[in-house]
Amino acid sequence: MPFKTMGLADPLVQGILATGYTAPTEIQSEAIPAVIAGKDIIACAQTGTGKTAAFVLPILNRIENVPQKAKKKKTRALIVTPTRELAVQIEKAIQGYGRFMDLKTIALYGGSRIDIQMRHLRKGMEIIAATPGRLLDLINRGSVNLSMVEILVLDEADRMLDMGFIEDIKKIIKILPVKRQTLLFSATMPAGVKKLAQTIQKSPKTIQIGRQHNPIETITQHIYPVPHIQKMEMLLHLFSKGEMYSVLIFSRTKRGADRICKRLNRGNIEAVAIHSDRTQSQRLRALDGFRRGQYRVMVATDIAARGINVEGISHVINFDVPGYAEDYVHRIGRTGRAEATGDAITFVSQDEVLNLKKIERFIECKFKPELLDDFNYNQKVDIHSSLPGQGKKSGRGGSKPGSSQRRRFKAKQGGKPKPKAGARPAKPKSGTGKPKPKTGARKAKSKTSAKKARPKSGAKRWSNKSGKNASRNKSK
Ligand code: AMP
């Protein structure tokens, strides 16, 4: 169904076309008519599928369809999102799609001056995109009036719960009108999100795009076993081939991100780091510079990078295997967005094998490790054997996987730690928990590899002791 026939107001259709979209994505086709019809929805879609427009467009449509004088100065839509970058990104999307409308919108997030936000709020904002902490702060100061909110969107609900925002969200929801539409978007649907949905929604329509957990189809995944001590060397080796143009590197720690960034800069590779120790303006500048191509590389931690939407990221590199399997899906989803292709490379040292296995179970696929012919390995990493105690600590000075998230969780949940490193609580288990070989596996050589010269070329395979085909099977 083209945008024109979805029941969207004319200025909005023009705004969409001016943005360059010709047809709705699957999530948009499913969600937009349902939201226009007034339904609550739970939308579970993989990252990069066009979720933002799926909730922004019907909100704008509703605002456009209300008589002019009734529009003024009322906050009619509230979008709650986990990170500052997402709040900014969503607000930009609203401005983009609504460029032919007369709109008052604002992004509210911490790390920036609250007095300025308060001043803007006094003018009356029709749509607010906010992070939970700053929003509550402004509510407590009496600067936000949410009594007229008609649509609430919880974006990246799974992440907000992981980040310990559940109590903040409950407080915010309590002050909203009971009669409202609630749209819940989440990349995954753990039990916590389902429970939240049950308490805040009315007969929601469930929309599931693609298979849960699975990295989107357009991403080619590579696993490079490498001794921990040689990771930086391997990174520089990959860059020396000159085949990676716009690269997002993930580091588990902030210090690690800074270290990688400095090393790349020393090697004349323009890189910038983004993590929670950087100020909001530094983060926005970094993101902007990366978007504009000023930096070829952005090095990020998970918290800072969630939901970041930058066009044309050719490669995601996991310098560290993420401690949480879900993070792997989110990380690599930064490439291959909106049906573009992309490569995701994960460095795996011996002490990270267990975390890799958790990812295999989570996405239900078996990775095929690749060895680079032209790289001088100091020692072999055997990804078929794991060391005792693996997955509990990273190989970097004992920092725990996802430690910053864990600290936050502890603080908000009265000191209760999550049960296990690498496993989120209440995450639905996949089948028997055993990696399942998939039918319809993609061949190692994808159309992406044909199009883009990737470091994978010249890669050789580890031989698998069992002799079984351990190829990178992409699930559907
Ligand atoms: P999102 O999942 O909302 O972060 O969107 C991922 C990417 O898809 C963004 O770069 C959007 O600009 C792009 N996008 C969203 N909707 C469409 C569409 N209908 N056609 C083409 N690109 C789109």
Side-chain angles (χ1 to χ4, degrees), residues 9-24:
D10 277 350
L12 199 43
V13 174
Q14 282 161 20
I16 297 163
L17 296 178
T19 308
Y21 303 167
T22 47

Side-chain angles (χ1 to χ4, degrees), residues 236 239 261-271 296-297:
L236 294 171
F239 274 105
C261 188
K262 275 190 194 141
R263 183 64 193 87
L264 291 176
N265 283 328
R266 273 213 310 278
N268 290 327
I269 298 162
E270 313 81 17
R296 181 174 161 200
V297 182

Side-chain angles (χ1 to χ4, degrees), residues 3 21-25 28 47-53 89 97 309 311 337-338:
F3 283 115
Y21 303 167
T22 47
T25 64
Q28 290 159 8
T47 187
T49 50
K51 284 191 287 183
T52 314
Q89 209 165 275
Y97 307 137
N309 179 17
E311 303 281 333
R337 293 174 82 72

Side-chain angles (χ1 to χ4, degrees), residues 54-121:
F55 60 76
V56 167
L57 294 177
I59 288 176
L60 290 177
N61 193 56
R62 191 176 184 126
I63 286 173
E64 181 61 19
N65 285 334
V66 167
Q68 198 66 26
K69 62 177 183 215
K71 276 185 189 176
K72 299 278 182 233
K73 300 201 170 187
K74 289 176 186 165
T75 298
R76 301 181 46 209
L78 173 67
I79 300 156
V80 185
T81 191
T83 67
R84 301 160 183 192
E85 284 75 16
L86 272 171
V88 172
Q89 209 165 275
I90 291 167
E91 209 257 336
K92 270 196 185 150
I94 297 170
Q95 294 291 349
Y97 307 137
R99 70 187 76 184
F100 300 115
M101 293 170 63
D102 176 22
L103 274 176
K104 281 211 168 72
T105 67
I106 190 168
L108 303 174
Y109 47 84
S112 54
R113 283 179 53 184
I114 198 161
D115 56 324
I116 297 179
Q117 292 175 354
M118 288 163 78
R119 208 180 316 139
H120 285 306
L121 283 166

Side-chain angles (χ1 to χ4, degrees), residues 27-28 55 58 79 99 109 144 147 183 197-199 216-217 255 286 340 393 402 408 421 453-454 457 459 469 471:
I27 180 84
Q28 290 159 8
F55 60 76
I79 300 156
R99 70 187 76 184
Y109 47 84
V144 193
S147 62
L183 320 179
Q198 279 162 11
T199 56
I216 53 182
E217 299 274 309
R255 259 187 40 215
K393 282 189 175 184
R408 188 154 196 170
R454 292 188 325 246
S457 55
N469 175 19
S471 70

